[in-house]
Amino acid sequence: MLTSPLSVGDIVIGETLWAGTKGLFSGIAILTVCYGFGIAEGWQPLLALPVILLAGICFGAMALVVTSFAASYDFFLYYFTLLVTPMYLLSGVFFPLDNMPDAVQQGARLLPLNHAVVLVRPLVTGGEVPNALPHLAVIGAYAVVAMLLASHLLNRRLLK
């Protein structure tokens, strides 16, 4: 791709949009199953799809930042072990944040996955949806910062 007229920034944007699209495909598949089993009803769960797309873009951009540092494929084990797994466990995906110590709750609220969970869970289950704008802003800010950082780091690495 670098031999074409594309810049590193163009490639980063394309890769993050593709990551978001793959996340969206997965979200559609999961919602289809939820509708099939009667877990999700009505149109409200469909509002989760833009959040899923934005979260996919965010995490795709974060993965590109890690890619810019990776010396080999094994490097990604550090990313999953030190960042992704603790984020899953502490962001309210599996365990309610309300039952965790205050310090863990405050730390989890700094992570983008928590904000996606806060928005998607009530949309799919029919619960009370909080004010979405602050949560979308956090996920979007993570995405933009990670895309800019990935562009800079990959540009430095690829065009040496």
Side-chain angles (χ1 to χ4, degrees), residues 1-16 64 68 146-160:
M1 282 189 262
L2 286 175
T3 60
S4 71
L6 294 174
S7 69
V8 173
D10 295 334
I11 295 168
V12 167
I13 290 170
E15 288 292 326
T16 55
L64 282 174
S68 71
M147 286 174 73
L148 292 172
L149 185 59
S151 291
H152 172 72
L153 293 172
L154 287 169
N155 193 41
R156 189 178 70 185
R157 180 174 179 174
L158 294 174
L159 300 178
K160 283 184 180 181

Side-chain angles (χ1 to χ4, degrees), residues 91-159:
S91 290
V93 173
F94 302 112
F95 310 109
L97 269 181
D98 298 338
N99 298 340
M100 296 184 188
D102 286 338
V104 172
Q105 289 181 34
Q106 296 305 318
R109 288 188 179 99
L110 298 174
L111 302 171
L113 183 58
N114 173 257
H115 296 278
V117 170
V118 166
L119 291 174
V120 170
R121 181 172 283 140
L123 286 170
V124 173
T125 61
E128 179 86 19
V129 180
N131 182 8
L133 197 55
H135 299 290
L136 292 172
V138 170
I139 300 168
Y142 265 94
V144 168
V145 169
M147 286 174 73
L148 292 172
L149 185 59
S151 291
H152 172 72
L153 293 172
L154 287 169
N155 193 41
R156 189 178 70 185
R157 180 174 179 174
L158 294 174
L159 300 178

Side-chain angles (χ1 to χ4, degrees), residues 66-113:
V66 173
T67 299
S68 71
F69 290 111
S72 69
Y73 186 76
D74 295 331
F75 186 83
F76 290 99
L77 292 174
Y78 298 119
Y79 173 60
F80 282 99
T81 303
L82 299 174
L83 184 68
V84 174
T85 301
M87 187 169 27
Y88 274 137
L89 296 174
L90 301 176
S91 290
V93 173
F94 302 112
F95 310 109
L97 269 181
D98 298 338
N99 298 340
M100 296 184 188
D102 286 338
V104 172
Q105 289 181 34
Q106 296 305 318
R109 288 188 179 99
L110 298 174
L111 302 171
L113 183 58

Side-chain angles (χ1 to χ4, degrees), residues 18-32:
W18 175 235
T21 304
K22 289 191 295 186
L24 182 62
F25 291 157
S26 297
I28 290 169
I30 291 168
L31 274 180
T32 301

